[in-house]
Amino acid sequence: MLSKVCSAAVNGIEAYPVEVEVDSGFGDTNIVIVGLPDAAVKESKDRVTTALSNSGFRFPMGRTTINLAPADVKKEGPSFDLPIALGMIAASEQMKSDQLENFVTVGELALNGAVRSVRGVLPIALQARADGKSGLLVPTDNAAEAAVVKDLTVIPVANLREATSFLEGTIKINPTRVDFDKILEASYDDELDFSEVKGQESVKRAMEIAAAGGHNILLIGPPGTGKSMLAKRLTTILPPLTLEEALETTKIHSIVGLLKPGQALVTRRPFRTPHHTASDVGLLGGNMNPTPGEISLAHHGVLFLDELPEFKRSVLETMRQPLEEGKVTISRAAGTFTFPSEFMLVAAMNPTPDGKMPAESRSSPHEIQKYLGRISGPLLDRIDLHIEVPQVRFQDLSKQASGESSAAIRERVIAARQRQQRRFAAKKGKISCNARMGSREIKAYCGVDAATLELMSYAMSDMNLSARAYDRVLKVARTIADLAGAETIQADHVSEAIQYRSLDRQLWT
């Protein structure tokens, strides 16, 4: 007898439908899986047959052929265990149900018949809704993740026997539902806080500007000045994720397998800190069948690169295009994949090999230049703010009073972001913040008067700024104006923005 079960698989960050066809016929007892299965899928026949036996089902006699269509796309992972098992039960006439083609089914089987969680359930749920399916059968641990997709019935199943009983209609399983408002209530009470940072008021101001406009920032200073401490607190002053941003971020984390059991959405902005030994594949994504890398896992969040010059220069150079475009395209034999990577880059570094400022360093000028030369000019141009982080004074360290809290800073950041959202409303979400403005938007929203233009002209010639750096100064000035509640960019806004480009010119020249 022939049976068909609807399933799905993930390719890149998108899902595509897969039909699991099972035919139980005559001949020697044997199970054959076709349709370009990988090793994990081929091994499913051993898991499935054992799970069938331990769940009280009869092992199908004769030759059983399992086809995973479309046959020209490679199938990976253990998520086809449950649909294969259901197909074998139906093909051997141990289950009668007309619901198999109405539900998309995914899940890994344990040897005792329990259904284990799998990766990529959110994109599969989105694909199921797009295909007009009435529901989704998923492992219990993945149910909340799938339930964030509206207008889709999500049925959690704990084991194989429960799944067959539901499809036959002998038991009823309540669909999983989630409360979006409750999930998106992000509490920062247990987070790190800017009030814990002693001194460094100028650096905190720069971090606030970076958060308000989504700008990339480079922190330069000796060891022990609080660069990492400040960077780790940046997410506490960023605006909460919107539902759309949370769905995009959750989809990526689901594919990589970073969601906790029962977790519905990623509600906090990601903060990724790859080690300086990371390869370009680890940072951008890749492998034979590409999966997202660190820059995509930081989508809508922060990517923190500590000890920036210690990263391989070739690895850093691969980040130039994602920083500019907010996405990364990877071409492999398996195809071309595009992953979103709209993140804030926060980098930290020492000014010299021995960690001291150039005037105090014992390193030779050649050694210092070689150290700084690991970071290219084009990459520096893509970082909007370059901030010196000085040693903390004893007076600041000994103060008992706390500094300004993250909550107070976040309120100003949210207000500035709301001004930007109103400004870019006509773009329909294509521009999320000032840092994402293109040349057309800079021309429309970053106009300056004659006196300010003269100031910009002086800065360009005196500091030898590139055309890209010129645009970056205007973007930062626009953010400073938004924080101040000003409709137009004033000379003091531009002056402050220019000073955030001066340090790198002093060091690198």
Side-chain angles (χ1 to χ4, degrees), residues 215-238:
H215 302 288
N216 303 319
I217 184 170
L218 173 63
L219 305 175
I220 308 173
T225 54
K227 300 187 294 295
S228 299
M229 186 179 186
L230 287 158
K232 290 176 181 178
R233 284 156 177 75
L234 181 59
T235 56
T236 67
I237 63 173
L238 289 172

Side-chain angles (χ1 to χ4, degrees), residues 188-237:
Y188 294 89
D189 294 340
D190 58 343
E191 290 284 331
L192 303 170
D193 199 279
F194 263 92
S195 62
E196 301 162 349
V197 181
K198 300 289 187 179
Q200 306 293 20
E201 298 304 324
S202 61
V203 186
K204 292 180 187 177
R205 166 65 176 173
M207 300 288 278
E208 179 180 341
I209 294 170
H215 302 288
N216 303 319
I217 184 170
L218 173 63
L219 305 175
I220 308 173
T225 54
K227 300 187 294 295
S228 299
M229 186 179 186
L230 287 158
K232 290 176 181 178
R233 284 156 177 75
L234 181 59
T235 56
T236 67
I237 63 173

